[in-house]
Amino acid sequence: MLPAFFLLAVACSACYALDNGVALTPPMGWSTWNTLACDYDEGDLREIADIMVKTGLTKLGYVYFNIDDCWEDGRDANGRLRYNATQFPSGMHGWGQHLHSLGMKFGIYTSSGQYTCSGFEGSWGHEFEDAQTFADWEVDFMKLDCCNTSVEMKNVSYPKWSKALNATGRPIVYSCDTDELIGIFPWTNEERPWDWAPPVCNMWRTWKDIKPYWWSWTMNLAFNIETWDLLDLSTIAKPGAFNDPDMLEVGVGEMTYEESKSHFSLWAMMAAPLILGNDLRHMTTETLDIITNAEVIAIDQDPLGRQGRRVLQGIDSDIYAKPLVGGAIAVALWNKVDYPVDITLNWSDLGFAPAKTMALRDLWAHRDLGPHTQSYTAKAVAPTGVVVLKLSPVPGQPPLHHLLLST
């Protein structure tokens, strides 16, 4: 019998995904909402875009620069969306061209209802017109929100937007956010994006808006792992179609370094979109250290596109595993409590025989740990901290998960 971890890792090969050729790995970038909300203009955004280039964030893959709500200014006499010209003196097309000149991509926001969440002009009834407007502005990413709407309206607008974006002929990442419709209790949960979104959207929200607190991001993590009715969401995600636990809160609020490192690491294990939300103009060296860890980013961006699974759940710690291209495995050992704990990964947690030899690398310490058999124990993992390992076959042995799938 094959280990359940690997059976589920390949089960989503039967899932459907939106066939628009984009987001084959989880999108990475930055968004206005978490820090700036409605308080921004083009000058602010130019500063932040320049910092993304100067700090090397764009070279690491953070290329989508997403304007969230509050840019809209009604419609013109022909029914086309207008932008706030005072806020964006270069115009939206001009702003997009500036981003493209920096090697970045242009993201924008609208709502499926008549009004956005902040009360500006929405797109209900204008889906094809607005999709063409965005294409004319050379938009590369569009987030569709669901304020001022209903489940019934959502059932019409979200598939319609998918067709409208594809009809423009421009490749645009389609991010579907229906969190306002997701019930906080099982008996109120009429909205299940994981059921309908994979053939419609490139990414879809799995829980409510994230906040810069431990309790908030861990709740979003929990509902990105499994639903109220215990559906394992790792079976849904695949290249071009990803579960979205919401934007990153690293560098926002007062989370500790260890909490932020865990937050970032577990988003990577989830194959989640890595959309920064901090004000890069006031970024600490610790925050920059976290969001520029190329080895952890590589786990998120692995071409296999598989979401990791929780393979062991304990009172004080959890273990997550994610299959990688070429037969390696990423493992996160997460301390959930406010005191140090030892966390042991047994090969049996991954379905391997104890005698199996694997080469380990610590992706936060950036050092090889050598070959191991049977188990590995991370000693005194920091309170609320994480250890992220990459397990690889030793020379001369077949790929780890491919070996199991062939037995």
Side-chain angles (χ1 to χ4, degrees):
M1 179 179 292
L2 298 180
F5 165 61
F6 293 100
L7 287 172
L8 287 168
V10 297
C12 66
S13 61
C15 302
Y16 295 103
L18 175 60
D19 185 18
N20 61 354
V22 296
L24 299 182
T25 58
M28 296 175 60
W30 182 87
S31 170
T32 58
W33 186 253
N34 283 4
T35 294
L36 302 181
C38 293
D39 187 18
Y40 65 87
D41 60 24
E42 185 178 329
D44 297 318
L45 304 188
R46 282 179 177 267
E47 286 183 55
I48 293 170
D50 287 344
I51 291 170
M52 292 182 73
V53 174
K54 290 176 182 176
T55 56
L57 288 170
T58 54
K59 288 183 178 179
L60 287 168
Y62 296 98
V63 295
Y64 288 99
F65 195 104
N66 298 342
I67 298 172
D68 209 276
D69 203 352
C70 310
W71 60 267
E72 309 88 352
D73 187 26
R75 295 184 180 275
D76 65 19
N78 297 316
R80 288 173 64 93
L81 271 175
R82 290 187 308 213
Y83 56 86
N84 185 320
T86 302
Q87 197 177 10
F88 287 92
S90 297
M92 281 302 186
H93 186 224
W95 169 245
Q97 288 182 316
H98 175 67
L99 289 175
H100 293 151
S101 74
L102 297 176
M104 303 175 74
K105 295 181 181 292
F106 178 15
I108 205 163
Y109 163 105
T110 190
S111 181
S112 60
Q114 187 175 354
Y115 301 102
T116 70
C117 296
S118 298
F120 293 91
E121 187 75 20
S123 290
W124 177 255
H126 295 273
E127 293 83 2
F128 279 85
E129 299 164 67
D130 292 354
Q132 189 57 55
T133 294
F134 294 158
D136 293 343
W137 291 347
E138 298 187 49
V139 163
D140 305 294
F141 179 111
M142 194 209 73
K143 172 183 170 182
L144 185 65
D145 215 334
C146 68
C147 285
N148 302 299
T149 187
S150 64
V151 171
E152 292 74 23
M153 292 171 69
K154 177 270 302 180
N155 291 340
V156 173
S157 60
Y158 279 75
K160 190 174 182 181
W161 259 106
S162 188
K163 294 176 183 176
L165 290 171
N166 282 341
T168 69
R170 182 172 179 81
I172 298 175
V173 174
Y174 183 24
S175 171
C176 295
D177 181 354
T178 58
D179 73 284
E180 288 86 359
L181 300 175
I182 297 175
I184 61 173
F185 301 108
W187 55 90
T188 63
N189 197 6
E190 298 179 56
E191 170 57 5
R192 297 171 54 87
W194 40 87
D195 286 344
W196 60 265
V200 174
C201 314
N202 293 117
M203 49 191 275
W204 52 88
R205 283 280 298 281
T206 53
W207 192 241
K208 301 293 186 178
D209 283 351
I210 196 169
K211 305 295 181 186
Y213 307 106
W214 171 269
W215 63 263
S216 176
W217 75 256
T218 56
M219 179 72 77
N220 282 50
L221 173 68
F223 283 99
N224 202 75
I225 296 169
E226 62 185 16
T227 62
W228 280 117
D229 53 356
L230 304 182
L231 172 65
D232 180 356
L233 289 182
S234 71
T235 64
I236 307 298
K238 65 180 299 184
F242 296 100
N243 295 303
D244 178 16
D246 205 1
M247 295 173 279
L248 288 162
E249 293 283 13
V250 177
V252 183
E254 299 180 357
M255 287 195 297
T256 68
Y257 174 73
E258 294 297 338
E259 289 172 348
S260 298
K261 191 170 74 169
S262 293
H263 172 27
F264 188 78
S265 299
L266 292 166
W267 257 232
M269 293 295 294
M270 291 293 102
L274 299 182
I275 306 298
L276 303 172
N278 58 311
D279 190 337
L280 302 180
R281 298 168 297 183
H282 308 288
M283 179 168 47
T284 67
T285 54
E286 284 189 341
T287 293
L288 185 61
D289 173 64
I290 292 171
I291 64 177
T292 57
N293 186 324
E295 294 191 81
V296 174
I297 290 172
I299 300 304
D300 178 79
Q301 294 292 294
D302 183 77
L304 200 60
R306 300 299 192 232
Q307 177 174 318
R309 294 185 63 244
R310 184 172 56 205
V311 296
L312 191 66
Q313 184 175 20
I315 295 173
D316 56 14
S317 62
D318 288 349
I319 297 178
Y320 294 81
K322 181 182 191 295
L324 306 174
V325 72
I329 303 169
V331 174
L333 311 176
W334 179 36
N335 179 3
K336 301 184 292 184
V337 295
D338 60 359
Y339 52 84
V341 296
D342 295 348
I343 306 176
T344 296
L345 168 70
N346 292 299
W347 282 196
S348 58
D349 298 330
L350 303 176
F352 291 112
K356 180 72 177 174
T357 301
M358 291 184 270
L360 274 59
R361 180 171 174 81
D362 186 322
L363 303 189
W364 282 105
H366 303 295
R367 63 186 179 92
D368 293 326
L369 304 178
H372 285 70
T373 57
Q374 188 169 343
S375 66
Y376 174 78
T377 298
K379 295 288 189 180
V381 178
T384 67
V386 69
V387 171
V388 181
L389 305 172
K390 183 176 181 181
L391 282 59
S392 304
V394 297
Q397 292 192 3
L400 296 178
H401 60 268
H402 291 180
L403 171 66
L404 285 174
L405 289 172
S406 66
T407 57

